[in-house]
């Protein structure tokens, strides 16, 4: 059997209110034996930590302030997060910038992102980056932090091969590939052919971005093999190879 890691899943979301533990078991039955829960903000953090605590060795958690949750109170939110980082956190995130959802707090998003990258570097942790219509702002922030050697993953990567190559200038970065790769006409399905498997980790971003043939339904971590199958097809390799290499990548990046 092939083993996988879902590096980005929100099974603690309210959409799993009735069956979150079942969803974890379905994932494990599908070979997805480890899952990473990125944090959103304090409103869902308790649910995230409680669900993760029920599956030690299988579910790991990040801590961070999602860009769409950044407002004028970002600094106190992040100080609270810093106080929690020594209790088994494996990453800082998700953080980043989202200029698609709203531009109301762009400056605050930028400051909060850089603050979180610096925190990750101090703690020796990888960063989980959410970047939407904000590529230049993200790269500018990474440039300012360059001497600290940040590392991590660009989650839900949908950029071009040129964007991927720019990322490589900043050292040890991976791209998270999810359900979008299975969509018809998705640019990433072509781009993924040129991204080395050694730089790819798998993710669902459950409950969103559901892969074909479940598109339109709630997404869950047990669908990870569908993403691996599509990547294998695009790259002309076997599913086992995709499983083995992406799992090794995720274990190394997140130290799990
Ligand atoms: Ni997410």
């Amino acid at each position: 059997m092939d083993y996988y890691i879902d590096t980005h899943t929100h099974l603690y979301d309210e959409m799993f209110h009735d069956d979150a533990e079942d969803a974890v078991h379905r994932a494990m039955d599908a070979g997805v034996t480890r899952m990473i829960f990125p944090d959103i903000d304090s409103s869902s953090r308790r649910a995230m930590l409680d669900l993760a605590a029920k599956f030690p060795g299988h579910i790991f958690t990040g801590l961070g302030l999602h860009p769409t949750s950044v407002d004028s109170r970002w600094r106190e939110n992040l100080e609270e997060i810093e106080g929690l980082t020594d209790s088994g956190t494996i990453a800082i995130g998700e953080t980043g910038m989202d200029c698609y959802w709203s531009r109301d707090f762009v400056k605050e998003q930028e400051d909060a992102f850089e603050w979180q990258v610096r925190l990750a570097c101090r703690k020796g942790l990888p960063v989980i980056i959410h970047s939407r219509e904000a590529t230049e702002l993200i790269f500018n922030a990474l440039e300012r932090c360059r001497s600290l050697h940040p590392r991590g993953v660009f989650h839900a990567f949908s950029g071009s091969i040129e964007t991927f190559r720019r990322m490589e200038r900043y050292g040890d970065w991976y791209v998270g590939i999810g359900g979008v790769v299975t969509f018809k006409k998705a640019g990433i399905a072509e781009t993924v052919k040129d991204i080395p498997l050694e730089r790819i980790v798998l993710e669902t971003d459950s409950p969103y971005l559901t892969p074909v043939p479940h598109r339109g339904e709630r997404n869950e971590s047990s669908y990870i093999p569908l993403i691996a199958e599509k990547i294998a097809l695009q790259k002309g390799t076997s599913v086992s190879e995709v499983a083995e290499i992406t799992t090794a990548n995720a274990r190394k990046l997140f130290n799990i």
Side-chain angles (χ1 to χ4, degrees), residues 9-15 37-52 61-66 69 77 80 84 93-94 208:
T9 178
H10 302 277
L11 296 180
Y12 58 89
D13 186 273
E14 280 169 12
M15 285 176 76
F37 287 176
D39 194 12
I40 302 287
D41 59 34
S42 60
S43 69
S44 55
R45 189 166 298 133
R46 188 73 262 157
M48 175 184 82
L49 295 172
D50 286 351
L51 182 57
T61 55
L63 281 173
L65 187 61
H66 193 285
S69 296
N77 281 318
E80 186 183 331
L84 298 169
E94 55 189 290
Y208 307 108

Side-chain angles (χ1 to χ4, degrees), residues 32-184:
V32 186
T33 52
R34 296 187 188 88
M35 285 155 259
I36 294 171
F37 287 176
D39 194 12
I40 302 287
D41 59 34
S42 60
S43 69
S44 55
R45 189 166 298 133
R46 188 73 262 157
M48 175 184 82
L49 295 172
D50 286 351
L51 182 57
K54 290 179 181 155
F55 298 93
H58 294 286
I59 297 179
F60 303 86
T61 55
L63 281 173
L65 187 61
H66 193 285
T68 62
S69 296
V70 169
D71 59 20
S72 55
R73 293 177 56 250
W74 68 269
R75 199 177 284 274
E76 64 185 276
N77 281 318
L78 288 179
E79 278 162 6
E80 186 183 331
I81 284 166
E82 182 168 18
L84 298 169
T85 49
D86 292 328
S87 49
T89 302
I90 57 131
I92 297 299
E94 55 189 290
T95 178
M97 294 191 67
D98 192 320
C99 296
Y100 172 82
W101 188 253
S102 164
R103 297 187 63 92
D104 290 349
F105 292 102
V106 171
K107 183 68 187 116
E108 288 85 351
Q109 282 193 35
E110 196 172 13
D111 291 343
F113 173 55
E114 187 170 334
W115 199 101
Q116 290 178 85
V117 172
R118 290 177 185 278
L119 171 64
C121 294
R122 277 203 304 284
K123 300 286 180 184
L125 295 172
V127 186
I128 299 169
I129 295 183
H130 169 115
S131 171
R132 199 157 179 207
E133 293 188 7
T135 308
E136 296 308 318
L137 294 168
I138 294 280
F139 279 128
N140 290 345
L142 290 180
E143 185 68 45
R144 292 192 293 275
C145 299
R146 197 170 183 171
S147 64
L148 304 172
H149 306 291
R151 63 195 180 88
V153 57
F154 277 71
H155 130 73
F157 183 73
S158 62
S160 63
I161 193 68
E162 289 75 26
T163 304
F164 170 75
R165 296 209 172 105
R166 281 177 72 187
M167 193 185 298
E168 289 193 301
R169 292 178 46 211
Y170 298 98
D172 198 15
W173 289 90
Y174 293 81
V175 293
I177 302 292
V180 177
V181 78
T182 69
F183 297 177
K184 264 200 184 104

